Amino acid sequence: MIEAFVLVVVKPGTEEKVYNALAGEKHIKEIYRVYGEYDIILRVEVENIGELDRFHDEILRRISNIEMTETLIASSYRG
Amino acid sequence: MIEAFVLVVVKPGTEEKVYNALAGEKHIKEIYRVYGEYDIILRVEVENIGELDRFHDEILRRISNIEMTETLIASSYRG
Amino acid sequence: MIEAFVLVVVKPGTEEKVYNALAGEKHIKEIYRVYGEYDIILRVEVENIGELDRFHDEILRRISNIEMTETLIASSYRG
Amino acid sequence: MIEAFVLVVVKPGTEEKVYNALAGEKHIKEIYRVYGEYDIILRVEVENIGELDRFHDEILRRISNIEMTETLIASSYRG
Amino acid sequence: MIEAFVLVVVKPGTEEKVYNALAGEKHIKEIYRVYGEYDIILRVEVENIGELDRFHDEILRRISNIEMTETLIASSYRG
Amino acid sequence: MIEAFVLVVVKPGTEEKVYNALAGEKHIKEIYRVYGEYDIILRVEVENIGELDRFHDEILRRISNIEMTETLIASSYRG
Amino acid sequence: MIEAFVLVVVKPGTEEKVYNALAGEKHIKEIYRVYGEYDIILRVEVENIGELDRFHDEILRRISNIEMTETLIASSYRG
Amino acid sequence: MIEAFVLVVVKPGTEEKVYNALAGEKHIKEIYRVYGEYDIILRVEVENIGELDRFHDEILRRISNIEMTETLIASSYRG
């Protein structure tokens, strides 16, 4: 399993709309609306890197007003 | 009360237009047109973080030609 | 309560060391080592913005090899 | 007169120290500690661009732990 | 007189077109097409900061495919 | 001969589409889909800098959904 | 197997030295000295993400003058 | 002949010192002290890319307080 963070920048003024559109999507375990260089942070879990490709190709494409995403793949975790 | 700076990048050539459109808006205490990585700096005062969300969702959405905003929440101030 | 993400860049080659040093710290609820523009992502919970100041001033100062941090304060969350 | 914003990044953990060191300096009209890509925002007033040069060369050099500054010169203002 | 550099990013594939469109414009003393984070560098001379505002508002607005400009005002020069 | 890397950012969700569109193009020796600040990395070989200009002006312009490219010209190589 | 690009920024003036120090290292399949936002590009092959961690922790730590690395994990490749 | 711009970031407070140290160097045709994301802009002329390598390896290494350089190679010019 691959765990990744997706840092999302949206069109100014669409933060809430994109946040709500993303909230129900498969593979998204947590979603935060944040202030700073990015607008939304997703924590995503996928089976493998091919599924991460499809997450971007299929899910992110369907949602309007996302201007940029930057995906950080995690190698270790402690909670 | 939350005090924040919003660093704004606009579509090239629309600096004056966006500056004028923002100038009368609620919650904006000061507005500067600047040169460098950003085009406009706003100093904003809101009651709480929910109001900061609404400032972005409602006010910034209505104004065209804003390409990017980056909001820095202040924790201390000295004048 | 304030929830925030701290995106951390460390001196190249000290990723594991900094990750381990941060792992036990107060206020850090989750810590991820990641690949991309940042090296470590922290999810932090503090009571208020003064405590967020102290988290930076006291905890991050004690830990060597942190080169940059960028803190994103969250306004909403869905898990 | 020239009005400028100086966006400051400091060594992680020295935010309060640098904020206090800057607070009394000449030409600094306002100083904010902030969260995001930058750590401190200064609003500076100088007579001309030569004085802005000296502000950087003399004042900022004396203060430790400043890692980066980015100065944005303002052309218009509304309060 | 104010001397400034304008670092320009254009829509990918329109570099030559924007370069040619800018080449004859008033206030632009030199223009370079470059490779790296930016696509075009302009050296601009204006009488004062109001004229720099108008350069952006009037000239850059008329030219399509400019996605971002970052203007660096010079304080000293040696050739 | 000039060897260069082109770091490409695409419209979110079009990664696969752009990757496939680029894959057959002249001058592109290798193409990688990647995760992080950029979405696709191209290794390009051209005869001279004029041909690099034409690669951008002609080939990249024809392909939709490319939002940004950053070209790094190589001076040395070891395999 | 994981294929990754490591974009490297070095202390100005040490480009050649770091390039030579990296050239013989295990896991580095190709190394380019480049001009632009980054100074060196590495193409790296590792067995899994744990080995990518060790590549950073062990190899990059031993080499002086590396100021920043940004690692992009590849999901697809065409040559 | 290769024409290039070198965008330079220096340690805060050393702008004038680095500017003066660079001013007499071979290959530097023009040098500007600027305000914004970068502190100094150099226009450099070299015979070929090997000489550009040596300019970085030999000249920039000798000068203290340079924190980052980003070199943009020009392909066309109009004055």
Side-chain angles (χ1 to χ4, degrees):
Chain A
M1 203 202 63
I2 292 177
E3 195 146 23
F5 283 90
V6 184
L7 310 176
V8 180
V9 176
V10 304
K11 197 167 142 27
T14 69
E15 291 83 355
E16 198 64 19
K17 213 168 140 184
V18 176
Y19 174 84
N20 287 330
L22 286 167
E25 288 296 344
K26 204 181 153 189
H27 302 302
I28 300 179
K29 296 302 162 194
E30 291 182 296
I31 172 166
Y32 296 83
R33 179 172 174 181
V34 295
Y35 281 99
E37 196 179 343
Y38 309 98
D39 303 314
I40 291 169
I41 294 182
L42 309 176
R43 189 170 64 71
V44 167
E45 283 175 15
V46 290
E47 274 313 300
N48 49 48
I49 206 153
E51 203 170 77
L52 188 59
D53 281 358
R54 286 189 297 278
F55 173 74
H56 284 78
D57 294 338
E58 290 161 21
I59 295 176
L60 296 186
R61 183 171 37 189
R62 271 195 287 104
I63 295 173
S64 307
N65 297 310
I66 297 181
E67 298 212 318
M68 198 271 292
T69 65
E70 185 171 337
T71 299
L72 305 161
I73 295 173
S75 66
S76 322
Y77 160 76
R78 265 188 242 177
Chain B
M1 204 202 63
I2 291 177
E3 195 145 24
F5 283 89
V6 185
L7 310 176
V8 180
V9 175
V10 305
K11 197 166 143 26
T14 68
E15 291 84 357
E16 198 64 18
K17 215 168 139 184
V18 176
Y19 174 84
N20 288 329
L22 286 166
E25 288 296 343
K26 204 182 154 188
H27 301 304
I28 300 179
K29 296 302 163 194
E30 291 182 297
I31 173 165
Y32 295 83
R33 180 172 175 182
V34 295
Y35 280 99
E37 196 179 344
Y38 308 98
D39 303 314
I40 291 169
I41 295 182
L42 310 176
R43 189 170 63 72
V44 167
E45 284 176 14
V46 290
E47 274 314 301
N48 49 49
I49 206 152
E51 202 171 77
L52 188 60
D53 280 358
R54 286 189 297 278
F55 173 74
H56 283 77
D57 294 339
E58 291 162 20
I59 294 176
L60 295 186
R61 184 171 35 190
R62 272 195 286 106
I63 295 174
S64 306
N65 298 309
I66 297 180
E67 297 212 319
M68 198 270 292
T69 65
E70 184 170 338
T71 299
L72 305 162
I73 294 173
S75 66
S76 324
Y77 161 76
R78 263 189 244 177
Chain C
M1 204 201 62
I2 291 177
E3 196 145 24
F5 283 90
V6 185
L7 310 177
V8 180
V9 176
V10 305
K11 196 167 145 22
T14 69
E15 290 84 356
E16 198 64 20
K17 214 169 141 184
V18 175
Y19 174 83
N20 288 328
L22 285 167
E25 289 295 344
K26 204 181 153 188
H27 302 304
I28 300 179
K29 296 303 162 194
E30 291 182 296
I31 172 165
Y32 295 83
R33 179 172 173 181
V34 294
Y35 281 98
E37 195 179 344
Y38 308 98
D39 303 313
I40 291 169
I41 295 182
L42 309 176
R43 190 170 62 73
V44 168
E45 284 176 14
V46 290
E47 276 312 302
N48 50 48
I49 206 154
E51 202 170 77
L52 189 59
D53 281 358
R54 285 190 298 279
F55 173 74
H56 283 78
D57 295 337
E58 291 162 20
I59 294 175
L60 295 186
R61 183 170 37 190
R62 272 195 286 104
I63 294 173
S64 306
N65 297 310
I66 297 180
E67 297 211 318
M68 197 271 292
T69 65
E70 184 170 337
T71 299
L72 305 162
I73 295 173
S75 66
S76 324
Y77 160 77
R78 263 187 246 177
Chain D
M1 203 200 63
I2 291 176
E3 196 145 22
F5 283 89
V6 185
L7 310 177
V8 181
V9 175
V10 305
K11 198 168 144 20
T14 69
E15 289 84 357
E16 198 64 19
K17 214 169 138 183
V18 175
Y19 174 84
N20 287 329
L22 285 167
E25 289 296 343
K26 205 181 151 187
H27 302 303
I28 300 179
K29 296 303 162 194
E30 292 182 296
I31 172 165
Y32 296 83
R33 180 171 174 182
V34 295
Y35 281 99
E37 196 179 343
Y38 309 97
D39 304 311
I40 291 170
I41 294 183
L42 309 176
R43 189 169 63 72
V44 167
E45 284 175 15
V46 290
E47 275 312 302
N48 49 48
I49 206 153
E51 202 171 78
L52 188 60
D53 281 359
R54 285 190 297 279
F55 174 74
H56 283 78
D57 294 337
E58 291 162 19
I59 294 176
L60 296 185
R61 182 171 39 191
R62 272 195 286 105
I63 295 172
S64 306
N65 298 309
I66 296 180
E67 297 211 318
M68 197 271 292
T69 64
E70 185 170 337
T71 298
L72 305 162
I73 295 173
S75 65
S76 323
Y77 161 76
R78 264 189 246 177
Chain E
M1 205 200 62
I2 291 177
E3 195 145 24
F5 283 89
V6 185
L7 310 176
V8 180
V9 176
V10 305
K11 198 166 145 20
T14 69
E15 290 84 356
E16 198 64 18
K17 213 169 139 184
V18 175
Y19 173 84
N20 288 329
L22 285 166
E25 288 296 343
K26 204 182 154 188
H27 302 303
I28 299 180
K29 296 303 162 193
E30 292 182 295
I31 171 165
Y32 296 82
R33 180 171 173 182
V34 295
Y35 281 98
E37 195 179 346
Y38 308 98
D39 303 313
I40 291 170
I41 295 183
L42 310 176
R43 188 170 64 71
V44 168
E45 284 176 14
V46 290
E47 275 313 300
N48 49 49
I49 206 152
E51 202 171 77
L52 188 59
D53 280 359
R54 285 189 298 277
F55 174 74
H56 283 78
D57 295 337
E58 291 163 19
I59 294 176
L60 296 185
R61 184 170 36 189
R62 271 194 287 105
I63 295 173
S64 306
N65 297 310
I66 297 180
E67 297 212 319
M68 198 270 292
T69 65
E70 183 170 339
T71 298
L72 305 162
I73 294 173
S75 65
S76 323
Y77 160 76
R78 265 190 242 176
Chain F
M1 204 200 64
I2 292 176
E3 196 145 23
F5 282 90
V6 185
L7 310 176
V8 181
V9 176
V10 305
K11 197 167 144 25
T14 68
E15 290 84 354
E16 199 64 18
K17 213 168 141 185
V18 175
Y19 173 84
N20 288 329
L22 285 166
E25 289 296 344
K26 204 183 153 188
H27 303 303
I28 300 179
K29 297 303 162 192
E30 292 182 295
I31 171 165
Y32 295 83
R33 180 171 174 182
V34 295
Y35 281 99
E37 194 179 345
Y38 308 97
D39 303 313
I40 290 170
I41 294 182
L42 310 176
R43 188 169 65 70
V44 168
E45 283 175 15
V46 290
E47 276 311 300
N48 49 48
I49 207 153
E51 202 170 79
L52 189 59
D53 281 359
R54 286 190 296 279
F55 173 74
H56 283 78
D57 294 338
E58 290 162 21
I59 295 176
L60 296 186
R61 183 171 37 189
R62 270 195 287 105
I63 294 172
S64 306
N65 297 309
I66 297 181
E67 298 212 316
M68 197 270 293
T69 65
E70 184 170 338
T71 298
L72 305 161
I73 294 173
S75 66
S76 324
Y77 160 75
R78 265 189 243 178
Chain G
M1 204 201 63
I2 291 177
E3 196 145 23
F5 283 90
V6 185
L7 309 176
V8 181
V9 176
V10 305
K11 196 166 144 24
T14 69
E15 289 84 356
E16 198 64 18
K17 214 168 140 184
V18 175
Y19 174 84
N20 288 328
L22 286 166
E25 290 295 345
K26 206 182 152 189
H27 301 304
I28 300 179
K29 297 302 163 195
E30 291 182 295
I31 171 165
Y32 295 83
R33 179 172 175 181
V34 294
Y35 281 98
E37 195 179 344
Y38 309 99
D39 303 313
I40 291 170
I41 295 182
L42 309 176
R43 188 169 64 73
V44 167
E45 284 176 15
V46 291
E47 275 313 300
N48 50 49
I49 206 152
E51 202 170 78
L52 189 59
D53 281 358
R54 286 190 296 279
F55 173 74
H56 283 78
D57 294 338
E58 290 162 20
I59 294 175
L60 296 186
R61 182 170 39 189
R62 272 195 286 103
I63 294 173
S64 307
N65 297 310
I66 297 180
E67 297 212 316
M68 196 271 291
T69 65
E70 184 170 338
T71 298
L72 305 161
I73 294 173
S75 66
S76 324
Y77 159 77
R78 263 188 244 177
Chain H
M1 203 201 63
I2 291 177
E3 196 146 21
F5 283 89
V6 185
L7 310 176
V8 181
V9 176
V10 305
K11 198 168 145 22
T14 69
E15 289 84 355
E16 197 64 18
K17 214 168 139 184
V18 176
Y19 174 83
N20 288 329
L22 286 166
E25 289 296 343
K26 206 181 151 187
H27 302 304
I28 300 179
K29 297 303 163 193
E30 292 182 295
I31 172 165
Y32 296 82
R33 179 172 174 182
V34 294
Y35 281 99
E37 195 178 345
Y38 308 98
D39 303 313
I40 291 170
I41 294 182
L42 309 176
R43 188 169 64 72
V44 167
E45 283 176 15
V46 291
E47 276 312 301
N48 49 49
I49 206 152
E51 202 170 78
L52 188 60
D53 281 358
R54 285 190 298 280
F55 173 74
H56 283 78
D57 294 338
E58 291 162 18
I59 294 176
L60 296 185
R61 182 170 39 189
R62 272 194 287 105
I63 294 173
S64 306
N65 297 310
I66 297 180
E67 296 212 317
M68 197 271 292
T69 64
E70 184 170 338
T71 298
L72 305 162
I73 295 173
S75 66
S76 322
Y77 160 76
R78 263 190 244 176

